[in-house]
Amino acid sequence: HRIPVYYDDKCDKTIAAKYWARVGSFYHDKLRHDDYAVTSHLEAIKLDDRHAPAHAGLAVIYRKQQKWGDLAAAMEAHAHIEADVDKKIDLYLELGDLHETQLASTARAIESYEKALAADASNQDALAALERLYRRDELWGRLAHVIEKRADMIEGSDPARAGQLRKDLAQLRSEKLGDIEGAISRYEAAVLANAGDTEALRELERLYDKAGRLDDYFSVLERLADAGADAERASLWRRLAAEVED
């Protein structure tokens, strides 16, 4: 039988919402009557849409019933009103995964991960998920922003990895965004961090030539010649001499 809940219309709605949520939990936990539980939690939310336990109670039931669309709506509503930042981030991360794996909505998944990142700009899980989805959907501008953010975050703790990320970013700007100067600045940053980075120097050689920056082009050829093995050094100096003569 349905448990009746009585309250005066004049009573505080937040108090009434708490009672409805408790009734919903009782229906679910003790009586195993999920339809009544859902109705009770919805009544709680109608009275107080910021009552987090009611949103959480709905999510538990919808997850068990595998009602993924309803679950997504419940989690979104909960995340929107959740005051605890860590819980809010976890909800948005879970929601992103739900959209990606169960609802096949990359756009909504991205939106959820971006909201997690808005709550914590250094959240590695959100950054990794966004990097993966941006790359998959060829959202190159957004991907560039995420890669640069990750490089900045680990500059002090892992400069080698940061340098590799900056080279990845430079390649992305050059090949996908057509941003030659942006690519050059990232390769220059990689060389500044590691003067012996011949991979970055070779890319700078190519890009300086493409951009018509002849002084920089000759300068980087000299650096490559100085850094190369004997055979390569001799070849580069001959090439540099020929370029200067031309």
Short mmCIF file of all heavy atoms in Angstrom, two decimals, residues 96-97 100 105-111 113 126-139 143:
data_model
loop_
_atom_site.label_atom_id
_atom_site.label_comp_id
_atom_site.label_asym_id
_atom_site.label_seq_id
_atom_site.Cartn_x
_atom_site.Cartn_y
_atom_site.Cartn_z
N GLY A 96 29.35 12.71 -18.08
CA GLY A 96 30.07 12.66 -19.35
C GLY A 96 30.25 11.23 -19.82
O GLY A 96 30.03 10.92 -21.01
N ASP A 97 30.63 10.35 -18.91
CA ASP A 97 30.81 8.94 -19.26
C ASP A 97 29.48 8.32 -19.69
O ASP A 97 29.42 7.52 -20.63
CB ASP A 97 31.39 8.19 -18.07
CG ASP A 97 31.64 6.73 -18.37
OD1 ASP A 97 32.54 6.42 -19.17
OD2 ASP A 97 30.90 5.87 -17.83
N GLU A 100 28.63 9.39 -23.13
CA GLU A 100 29.54 8.81 -24.11
C GLU A 100 29.28 7.32 -24.32
O GLU A 100 29.27 6.85 -25.47
CB GLU A 100 30.98 9.03 -23.63
CG GLU A 100 32.04 8.66 -24.64
CD GLU A 100 33.45 8.97 -24.16
OE1 GLU A 100 33.60 9.54 -23.05
OE2 GLU A 100 34.39 8.62 -24.88
N SER A 105 26.19 10.16 -27.19
CA SER A 105 26.10 11.59 -27.50
C SER A 105 27.43 12.25 -27.16
O SER A 105 27.65 12.65 -26.01
CB SER A 105 24.96 12.25 -26.73
OG SER A 105 24.95 13.65 -26.97
N THR A 106 28.29 12.33 -28.14
CA THR A 106 29.60 12.96 -27.91
C THR A 106 29.45 14.42 -27.51
O THR A 106 30.16 14.91 -26.64
CB THR A 106 30.47 12.84 -29.17
OG1 THR A 106 30.65 11.46 -29.49
CG2 THR A 106 31.83 13.47 -28.95
N ALA A 107 28.51 15.11 -28.14
CA ALA A 107 28.33 16.53 -27.87
C ALA A 107 27.94 16.76 -26.40
O ALA A 107 28.48 17.65 -25.74
CB ALA A 107 27.26 17.12 -28.78
N ARG A 108 27.01 15.94 -25.89
CA ARG A 108 26.60 16.10 -24.50
C ARG A 108 27.71 15.64 -23.55
O ARG A 108 27.86 16.19 -22.45
CB ARG A 108 25.32 15.30 -24.23
CG ARG A 108 24.10 15.79 -24.99
CD ARG A 108 23.76 17.24 -24.64
NE ARG A 108 23.46 17.44 -23.24
CZ ARG A 108 22.27 17.24 -22.69
NH1 ARG A 108 21.24 16.83 -23.44
NH2 ARG A 108 22.08 17.45 -21.40
N ALA A 109 28.47 14.63 -23.95
CA ALA A 109 29.60 14.19 -23.14
C ALA A 109 30.62 15.32 -23.00
O ALA A 109 31.11 15.60 -21.91
CB ALA A 109 30.25 12.95 -23.76
N ILE A 110 30.93 15.95 -24.13
CA ILE A 110 31.88 17.07 -24.11
C ILE A 110 31.36 18.19 -23.21
O ILE A 110 32.11 18.75 -22.40
CB ILE A 110 32.11 17.59 -25.54
CG1 ILE A 110 32.99 16.60 -26.32
CG2 ILE A 110 32.76 18.97 -25.53
CD1 ILE A 110 33.15 16.95 -27.79
N GLU A 111 30.08 18.49 -23.32
CA GLU A 111 29.49 19.54 -22.49
C GLU A 111 29.65 19.22 -21.00
O GLU A 111 29.98 20.11 -20.20
CB GLU A 111 28.01 19.67 -22.84
CG GLU A 111 27.26 20.73 -22.08
CD GLU A 111 25.78 20.78 -22.44
OE1 GLU A 111 25.45 20.53 -23.61
OE2 GLU A 111 24.96 21.03 -21.53
N TYR A 113 31.95 17.15 -19.56
CA TYR A 113 33.36 17.22 -19.17
C TYR A 113 33.83 18.68 -19.08
O TYR A 113 34.65 19.02 -18.21
CB TYR A 113 34.22 16.45 -20.16
CG TYR A 113 34.04 14.95 -20.11
CD1 TYR A 113 33.81 14.21 -21.28
CD2 TYR A 113 34.10 14.26 -18.91
CE1 TYR A 113 33.64 12.84 -21.23
CE2 TYR A 113 33.93 12.88 -18.86
CZ TYR A 113 33.70 12.17 -20.03
OH TYR A 113 33.52 10.81 -19.98
N ALA A 126 38.97 15.15 -16.55
CA ALA A 126 38.22 15.95 -17.52
C ALA A 126 39.10 16.33 -18.70
O ALA A 126 38.67 16.25 -19.86
CB ALA A 126 37.66 17.20 -16.84
N LEU A 127 40.33 16.72 -18.44
CA LEU A 127 41.24 17.10 -19.51
C LEU A 127 41.53 15.92 -20.45
O LEU A 127 41.52 16.07 -21.67
CB LEU A 127 42.55 17.64 -18.93
CG LEU A 127 42.49 19.05 -18.34
CD1 LEU A 127 43.75 19.33 -17.53
CD2 LEU A 127 42.33 20.09 -19.43
N ALA A 128 41.76 14.75 -19.85
CA ALA A 128 42.06 13.57 -20.68
C ALA A 128 40.85 13.19 -21.53
O ALA A 128 41.00 12.84 -22.72
CB ALA A 128 42.46 12.40 -19.78
N ALA A 129 39.66 13.24 -20.95
CA ALA A 129 38.45 12.90 -21.70
C ALA A 129 38.23 13.91 -22.83
O ALA A 129 37.89 13.52 -23.96
CB ALA A 129 37.24 12.87 -20.77
N LEU A 130 38.41 15.18 -22.54
CA LEU A 130 38.21 16.20 -23.57
C LEU A 130 39.25 16.08 -24.67
O LEU A 130 38.92 16.24 -25.86
CB LEU A 130 38.25 17.59 -22.95
CG LEU A 130 37.02 17.96 -22.12
CD1 LEU A 130 37.25 19.26 -21.36
CD2 LEU A 130 35.79 18.09 -23.01
N GLU A 131 40.48 15.80 -24.31
CA GLU A 131 41.52 15.62 -25.34
C GLU A 131 41.14 14.48 -26.28
O GLU A 131 41.24 14.59 -27.51
CB GLU A 131 42.87 15.34 -24.69
CG GLU A 131 43.99 15.18 -25.72
CD GLU A 131 45.36 14.99 -25.10
OE1 GLU A 131 45.50 15.20 -23.88
OE2 GLU A 131 46.29 14.62 -25.85
N ARG A 132 40.66 13.38 -25.71
CA ARG A 132 40.26 12.23 -26.52
C ARG A 132 39.09 12.57 -27.45
O ARG A 132 39.11 12.26 -28.65
CB ARG A 132 39.87 11.07 -25.60
CG ARG A 132 39.50 9.79 -26.35
CD ARG A 132 39.05 8.70 -25.42
NE ARG A 132 37.75 8.96 -24.83
CZ ARG A 132 37.54 9.33 -23.58
NH1 ARG A 132 38.56 9.49 -22.77
NH2 ARG A 132 36.31 9.55 -23.13
N LEU A 133 38.07 13.22 -26.90
CA LEU A 133 36.87 13.51 -27.69
C LEU A 133 37.11 14.62 -28.71
O LEU A 133 36.58 14.56 -29.83
CB LEU A 133 35.71 13.87 -26.78
CG LEU A 133 35.22 12.75 -25.86
CD1 LEU A 133 34.08 13.24 -24.97
CD2 LEU A 133 34.77 11.54 -26.67
N TYR A 134 37.87 15.63 -28.34
CA TYR A 134 38.19 16.69 -29.30
C TYR A 134 38.98 16.13 -30.48
O TYR A 134 38.75 16.50 -31.63
CB TYR A 134 39.02 17.78 -28.62
CG TYR A 134 38.28 18.66 -27.64
CD1 TYR A 134 38.99 19.37 -26.66
CD2 TYR A 134 36.89 18.79 -27.67
CE1 TYR A 134 38.33 20.19 -25.75
CE2 TYR A 134 36.24 19.60 -26.75
CZ TYR A 134 36.95 20.29 -25.80
OH TYR A 134 36.31 21.10 -24.90
N ARG A 135 39.91 15.23 -30.17
CA ARG A 135 40.72 14.63 -31.25
C ARG A 135 39.83 13.77 -32.15
O ARG A 135 39.94 13.81 -33.37
CB ARG A 135 41.85 13.80 -30.64
CG ARG A 135 42.94 13.41 -31.64
CD ARG A 135 44.01 12.58 -30.96
NE ARG A 135 44.71 13.30 -29.92
CZ ARG A 135 45.71 14.15 -30.13
NH1 ARG A 135 46.11 14.40 -31.36
NH2 ARG A 135 46.31 14.74 -29.10
N ARG A 136 38.94 12.98 -31.52
CA ARG A 136 38.07 12.10 -32.30
C ARG A 136 37.12 12.88 -33.20
O ARG A 136 36.88 12.48 -34.34
CB ARG A 136 37.27 11.21 -31.34
CG ARG A 136 36.50 10.10 -32.05
CD ARG A 136 35.84 9.19 -31.04
NE ARG A 136 34.66 9.80 -30.45
CZ ARG A 136 33.98 9.26 -29.44
NH1 ARG A 136 34.40 8.13 -28.89
NH2 ARG A 136 32.91 9.86 -28.96
N ASP A 137 36.61 14.02 -32.70
CA ASP A 137 35.66 14.82 -33.48
C ASP A 137 36.34 15.93 -34.28
O ASP A 137 35.67 16.78 -34.87
CB ASP A 137 34.61 15.43 -32.55
CG ASP A 137 33.49 14.46 -32.24
OD1 ASP A 137 33.71 13.23 -32.38
OD2 ASP A 137 32.39 14.91 -31.85
N GLU A 138 37.69 15.92 -34.26
CA GLU A 138 38.47 16.88 -35.04
C GLU A 138 38.15 18.32 -34.67
O GLU A 138 38.07 19.20 -35.52
CB GLU A 138 38.30 16.64 -36.55
CG GLU A 138 38.73 15.25 -36.98
CD GLU A 138 38.64 15.03 -38.48
OE1 GLU A 138 38.14 15.93 -39.19
OE2 GLU A 138 39.08 13.97 -38.95
N LEU A 139 37.98 18.55 -33.39
CA LEU A 139 37.77 19.90 -32.88
C LEU A 139 39.14 20.49 -32.52
O LEU A 139 39.53 20.57 -31.36
CB LEU A 139 36.84 19.86 -31.66
CG LEU A 139 35.44 19.28 -31.93
CD1 LEU A 139 34.67 19.08 -30.63
CD2 LEU A 139 34.66 20.19 -32.87
N LEU A 143 41.09 21.28 -28.98
CA LEU A 143 42.15 20.33 -28.63
C LEU A 143 43.45 21.07 -28.33
O LEU A 143 44.16 20.73 -27.37
CB LEU A 143 42.36 19.34 -29.78
CG LEU A 143 43.50 18.33 -29.60
CD1 LEU A 143 43.27 17.46 -28.36
CD2 LEU A 143 43.63 17.45 -30.84
#
